[in-house]
């Protein structure tokens, strides 16, 4: 689960104006959070993985990701995807009738996400409201109140059109395959700087090594060990840009015992050496 706080208790909503071309590999990697997320494709084409589903969306189309669902965004050429996240209580307090009747059934259902296409009338309405929410974020006056009003309208449209059969199926947070995978991912994210084995990873979800392999392949199309390697390299890239630590120290910090192997893997993954990566991103900041 992401550790970043997307909002505050005073205003549990956060807007991002993301351009995937600015991310390494044009990708926002696998993650999940308690907030609902809505994404609008303003420009370009992007691929979205939500749970076990994969979909390609183009300009003018949109996406909803339910709470605690794994997701990943990628664009080959780069795409502009304004998006916003908010916790369920932004719609209504958890103790309220509105939350119990209209929010909780969707939040706790097996619904992973929804796509919105302009050729379908009710989805076109959703996209129109999403566009208005994006536009409101650029305004200085009354933006919070307008956003709150529009989120209510957006949620009502979704509630009206979600299949009742989906709402009747409840998430089993501690027994579902995805929950087990998330436990293992969370362990990797917390202990990546330590020596970790496949057995250590599997133990976190109380599953066999073969089950752990199957879960990673099923959802992430990867193996636990390779996912760990990529995560270590991603963390090292962040340290190269945000700190002045020497390469050998960074290698040790992210779990590599041999700096030469670290440099070899980094170059294979990023197509440049750690030093070149640092210099490139320092130049971007200066520009």
């Amino acid at each position: 689960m992401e550790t970043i706080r997307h909002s505050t208790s005073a205003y549990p909503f956060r807007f991002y104006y993301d351009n995937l071309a600015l991310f390494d590999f044009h990708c926002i990697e696998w993650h999940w959070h308690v907030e609902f997320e809505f994404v609008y494709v303003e420009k370009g084409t992007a691929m979205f993985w939500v749970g076990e589903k994969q979909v390609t969306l183009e300009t003018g189309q949109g996406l909803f990701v339910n709470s605690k669902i794994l997701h990943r965004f990628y664009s080959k050429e780069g795409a502009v995807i304004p998006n916003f996240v908010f916790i369920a209580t932004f719609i209504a307090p958890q103790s309220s009738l509105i939350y119990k009747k209209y929010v909780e059934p969707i939040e706790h259902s097996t619904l992973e996400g929804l796509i919105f296409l302009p050729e379908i009338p009710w989805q076109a309405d959703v996209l129109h409201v999403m566009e208005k929410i994006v536009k409101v974020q650029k305004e200085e006056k009354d933006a919070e109140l307008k956003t709150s009003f529009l989120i209510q309208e957006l949620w009502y449209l979704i509630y009206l059109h979600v299949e009742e059969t989906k709402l009747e199926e409840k998430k089993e947070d501690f027994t579902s395959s995805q929950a087990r995978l998330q436990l293992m991912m969370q362990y990797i994210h917390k202990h990546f700087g330590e020596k970790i084995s496949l057995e250590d990873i599997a133990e976190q979800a109380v599953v066999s090594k073969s089950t752990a392999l199957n879960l990673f392949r099923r959802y992430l199309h990867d193996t636990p060990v390779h996912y760990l390697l990529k995560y270590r390299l991603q963390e090292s890239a962040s340290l190269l840009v945000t700190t002045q630590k020497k390469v050998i120290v960074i290698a040790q910090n992210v779990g590599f015992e041999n700096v030469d192997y670290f440099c070899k893997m980094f170059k294979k993954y990023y197509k440049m050496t750690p030093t070149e990566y640092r210099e490139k991103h320092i130049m971007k900041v200066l520009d």
Side-chain angles (χ1 to χ4, degrees):
M1 185 178 292
E2 287 187 327
T3 55
I4 184 173
R5 293 193 65 176
H6 289 282
S7 56
T8 65
S9 58
Y11 186 58
F13 173 94
R14 187 71 179 268
F15 173 76
Y16 299 92
Y17 192 76
D18 287 331
N19 182 348
L20 290 176
L22 302 179
F23 289 80
D24 283 332
F25 311 108
H26 298 181
C27 180
I28 298 176
E29 274 296 352
W30 289 104
H31 65 287
W32 73 97
H33 38 70
V34 297
E35 295 91 348
F36 299 127
E37 181 163 4
F38 287 82
V39 185
Y40 180 75
V41 183
E42 185 176 288
K43 181 181 179 183
T45 301
M47 295 176 66
F48 299 88
W49 288 260
V50 179
E52 293 186 79
K53 297 181 178 65
Q54 178 184 331
V55 62
T56 299
L57 299 180
E58 300 178 349
T59 302
Q61 299 176 341
L63 175 74
F64 161 67
V65 182
N66 205 350
S67 172
K68 299 181 183 178
I69 297 298
L70 278 165
H71 51 287
R72 176 180 187 262
F73 307 153
Y74 165 76
S75 176
K76 184 178 180 180
E77 303 298 331
V80 178
I81 54 166
N83 56 92
F84 49 90
V85 298
F86 57 91
I87 62 175
T89 52
F90 188 54
I91 301 172
Q94 200 165 11
S95 60
S96 69
L97 173 64
I98 291 175
Y99 175 84
K100 297 291 185 183
K101 188 173 180 180
Y102 301 103
V103 182
E104 187 175 50
I106 294 176
E107 182 184 18
H108 293 172
S109 73
T110 56
L111 179 70
E112 294 182 326
L114 296 166
I115 60 171
F116 307 118
L117 308 176
E119 56 267 28
I120 299 174
W122 78 268
Q123 294 180 11
D125 292 340
V126 168
L127 290 166
H128 182 58
V129 175
M130 289 174 64
E131 286 181 280
K132 288 199 285 187
I133 291 171
V134 171
K135 184 178 179 181
V136 162
Q137 307 315 307
K138 301 174 185 177
E139 301 176 7
E140 293 184 7
K141 186 178 180 181
D142 307 326
E144 296 86 359
L145 186 58
K146 290 177 182 176
T147 298
S148 178
F149 169 79
L150 290 167
I151 290 294
Q152 295 275 348
E153 183 179 358
L154 180 65
W155 196 259
Y156 182 60
L157 286 168
I158 290 172
Y159 177 82
L160 284 178
H161 295 92
V162 170
E163 297 175 25
E164 287 188 14
T165 53
K166 284 285 185 184
L167 302 186
E168 291 169 359
E169 301 170 6
K170 304 298 181 183
K171 289 178 184 172
E172 297 293 341
D173 290 334
F174 299 103
T175 59
S176 70
S177 296
Q178 184 169 282
R180 289 192 174 108
L181 173 62
Q182 289 168 327
L183 283 172
M184 292 186 283
M185 291 173 68
Q186 213 156 253
Y187 176 77
I188 289 172
H189 296 177
K190 186 176 180 181
H191 298 278
F192 66 89
E194 305 167 16
K195 190 172 183 179
I196 300 176
S197 67
L198 174 58
E199 186 174 2
D200 294 329
I201 296 169
E203 281 180 358
Q204 305 312 305
V206 197
V207 297
S208 66
K209 290 187 286 186
S210 61
T211 299
L213 282 166
N214 289 335
L215 287 173
F216 271 81
R217 285 171 177 156
R218 174 180 167 186
Y219 285 96
L220 308 187
H221 313 288
D222 207 345
T223 67
V225 173
H226 189 247
Y227 180 86
L228 170 62
L229 172 65
K230 288 196 301 181
Y231 192 79
R232 282 172 167 165
L233 292 172
Q234 289 160 12
E235 289 297 309
S236 72
S238 176
L239 290 172
L240 285 166
V241 177
T242 60
T243 75
Q244 296 298 316
K245 292 180 177 181
K246 293 181 179 180
V247 171
I248 188 171
V249 174
I250 289 176
Q252 293 168 348
N253 287 168
V254 300
F256 285 90
E257 296 179 354
N258 184 299
V259 67
D260 291 334
Y261 178 68
F262 163 70
C263 291
K264 178 182 177 181
M265 290 296 101
F266 192 96
K267 187 170 184 178
K268 181 179 180 180
Y269 192 62
Y270 285 97
K271 310 303 180 187
M272 63 184 80
T273 67
T275 301
E276 289 169 342
Y277 183 90
R278 173 175 269 169
E279 290 173 350
K280 177 183 176 182
H281 283 77
I282 289 174
M283 290 302 296
K284 280 185 179 180
V285 172
L286 294 175
D287 290 342

